[in-house]
Short mmCIF file of all heavy atoms in Angstrom, two decimals:
data_model
loop_
_atom_site.label_atom_id
_atom_site.label_comp_id
_atom_site.label_asym_id
_atom_site.label_seq_id
_atom_site.Cartn_x
_atom_site.Cartn_y
_atom_site.Cartn_z
N LYS W 135 115.04 71.67 90.45
CA LYS W 135 115.98 70.76 91.15
C LYS W 135 116.01 71.03 92.65
O LYS W 135 115.88 72.18 93.09
CB LYS W 135 117.40 70.98 90.60
CG LYS W 135 117.57 70.55 89.18
CD LYS W 135 119.05 70.35 88.85
CE LYS W 135 119.21 69.62 87.53
NZ LYS W 135 118.54 70.35 86.41
N ASP W 179 109.45 84.88 81.32
CA ASP W 179 109.74 85.77 80.18
C ASP W 179 110.03 85.00 78.89
O ASP W 179 109.63 85.44 77.82
CB ASP W 179 110.94 86.66 80.51
CG ASP W 179 110.61 87.67 81.61
OD1 ASP W 179 109.42 87.99 81.78
OD2 ASP W 179 111.55 88.11 82.31
N GLU W 301 109.49 79.27 108.66
CA GLU W 301 110.69 78.54 109.10
C GLU W 301 110.34 77.34 110.01
O GLU W 301 111.04 76.35 110.04
CB GLU W 301 111.64 79.48 109.85
CG GLU W 301 111.06 80.02 111.15
CD GLU W 301 111.96 81.03 111.85
OE1 GLU W 301 112.77 80.61 112.66
OE2 GLU W 301 111.82 82.25 111.58
N THR W 303 107.66 75.39 109.78
CA THR W 303 106.82 74.32 109.19
C THR W 303 107.01 74.14 107.68
O THR W 303 106.05 74.27 106.91
CB THR W 303 105.33 74.65 109.44
OG1 THR W 303 105.08 75.96 108.90
CG2 THR W 303 104.97 74.63 110.91
N PRO W 321 110.50 73.42 84.79
CA PRO W 321 111.49 73.98 85.71
C PRO W 321 111.34 75.50 85.82
O PRO W 321 111.09 76.17 84.81
CB PRO W 321 112.84 73.63 85.07
CG PRO W 321 112.55 72.51 84.14
CD PRO W 321 111.11 72.63 83.72
N MET W 330 114.83 82.06 106.81
CA MET W 330 114.25 82.97 107.79
C MET W 330 113.56 84.14 107.09
O MET W 330 113.96 84.57 106.02
CB MET W 330 115.35 83.54 108.72
CG MET W 330 116.17 82.49 109.43
SD MET W 330 115.13 81.45 110.49
CE MET W 330 115.53 79.82 109.87
N THR W 333 115.82 87.26 106.40
CA THR W 333 116.83 87.15 105.34
C THR W 333 116.18 86.74 104.02
O THR W 333 116.01 87.56 103.12
CB THR W 333 117.93 86.15 105.76
OG1 THR W 333 117.30 84.94 106.20
CG2 THR W 333 118.78 86.72 106.88
N ALA W 336 112.86 88.77 103.36
CA ALA W 336 113.13 90.17 103.04
C ALA W 336 113.76 90.30 101.65
O ALA W 336 113.44 91.23 100.90
CB ALA W 336 114.03 90.78 104.11
N ILE W 347 103.96 90.56 95.57
CA ILE W 347 104.16 89.82 96.82
C ILE W 347 102.80 89.49 97.42
O ILE W 347 101.96 90.37 97.59
CB ILE W 347 104.99 90.64 97.85
CG1 ILE W 347 106.44 90.83 97.39
CG2 ILE W 347 104.95 89.97 99.23
CD1 ILE W 347 107.30 89.57 97.40
N THR W 366 110.14 99.18 94.73
CA THR W 366 110.00 98.68 93.35
C THR W 366 108.53 98.67 92.91
O THR W 366 108.20 98.10 91.88
CB THR W 366 110.59 97.25 93.25
OG1 THR W 366 110.19 96.50 94.40
CG2 THR W 366 112.11 97.27 93.18
N LEU W 374 96.45 89.44 107.04
CA LEU W 374 97.13 89.63 108.33
C LEU W 374 96.28 89.10 109.49
O LEU W 374 95.38 88.31 109.29
CB LEU W 374 97.46 91.11 108.50
CG LEU W 374 98.22 91.71 107.30
CD1 LEU W 374 98.42 93.19 107.48
CD2 LEU W 374 99.54 91.00 107.07
N ALA W 384 71.24 87.35 123.96
CA ALA W 384 70.54 86.50 124.94
C ALA W 384 69.66 85.43 124.30
O ALA W 384 69.52 84.33 124.83
CB ALA W 384 69.70 87.38 125.86
N GLU W 389 73.02 75.99 123.66
CA GLU W 389 74.07 74.97 123.49
C GLU W 389 74.99 75.31 122.32
O GLU W 389 76.21 75.22 122.41
CB GLU W 389 73.44 73.59 123.21
CG GLU W 389 72.65 73.02 124.36
CD GLU W 389 73.53 72.72 125.57
OE1 GLU W 389 74.68 72.29 125.36
OE2 GLU W 389 73.06 72.92 126.71
N GLY W 394 79.97 77.29 120.14
CA GLY W 394 80.54 78.17 119.11
C GLY W 394 81.55 79.15 119.68
O GLY W 394 82.52 79.51 119.01
N THR W 428 83.26 77.95 130.85
CA THR W 428 84.33 77.50 131.72
C THR W 428 84.22 76.00 131.99
O THR W 428 85.20 75.26 131.89
CB THR W 428 84.27 78.28 133.05
OG1 THR W 428 84.34 79.66 132.73
CG2 THR W 428 85.39 77.91 133.98
N GLU W 429 83.00 75.56 132.29
CA GLU W 429 82.77 74.13 132.54
C GLU W 429 83.24 73.30 131.37
O GLU W 429 83.94 72.30 131.53
CB GLU W 429 81.26 73.89 132.74
CG GLU W 429 80.77 74.19 134.13
CD GLU W 429 81.64 73.53 135.19
OE1 GLU W 429 81.73 72.29 135.17
OE2 GLU W 429 82.25 74.26 136.00
N THR W 444 92.73 63.57 121.05
CA THR W 444 93.21 64.91 121.39
C THR W 444 92.41 65.99 120.68
O THR W 444 92.17 65.91 119.49
CB THR W 444 94.71 65.03 121.02
OG1 THR W 444 95.44 64.17 121.89
CG2 THR W 444 95.22 66.46 121.16
N ARG W 457 105.55 83.70 124.00
CA ARG W 457 104.71 84.84 123.68
C ARG W 457 103.32 84.70 124.33
O ARG W 457 102.85 85.62 125.00
CB ARG W 457 104.58 84.87 122.15
CG ARG W 457 103.90 86.04 121.56
CD ARG W 457 103.83 85.80 120.04
NE ARG W 457 102.55 86.28 119.57
CZ ARG W 457 102.29 87.56 119.32
NH1 ARG W 457 103.24 88.45 119.45
NH2 ARG W 457 101.11 87.93 118.92
N ARG W 500 95.14 95.38 127.03
CA ARG W 500 96.02 94.88 125.96
C ARG W 500 95.59 93.49 125.49
O ARG W 500 95.69 93.17 124.31
CB ARG W 500 97.48 94.87 126.43
CG ARG W 500 98.14 96.26 126.33
CD ARG W 500 99.60 96.19 126.73
NE ARG W 500 100.34 95.24 125.91
CZ ARG W 500 101.49 94.66 126.30
NH1 ARG W 500 102.01 94.92 127.48
NH2 ARG W 500 102.12 93.82 125.50
N ILE W 559 76.93 84.19 110.77
CA ILE W 559 75.74 84.21 111.64
C ILE W 559 75.55 82.80 112.18
O ILE W 559 75.45 81.85 111.41
CB ILE W 559 74.48 84.67 110.88
CG1 ILE W 559 74.68 86.09 110.33
CG2 ILE W 559 73.26 84.60 111.77
CD1 ILE W 559 73.54 86.58 109.45
N ASN W 560 75.53 82.68 113.49
CA ASN W 560 75.35 81.41 114.19
C ASN W 560 76.38 80.36 113.79
O ASN W 560 76.06 79.17 113.62
CB ASN W 560 73.92 80.87 113.98
CG ASN W 560 72.90 81.81 114.61
OD1 ASN W 560 73.24 82.57 115.53
ND2 ASN W 560 71.68 81.78 114.13
#
Side-chain angles (χ1 to χ4, degrees):
K135 292 199 167 58
D179 292 336
E301 65 184 270
T303 56
M330 304 299 125
T333 50
I347 292 290
T366 42
L374 308 176
E389 294 295 324
T428 303
E429 278 311 300
T444 292
R457 187 183 141 81
R500 279 183 57 203
I559 299 174
N560 296 337

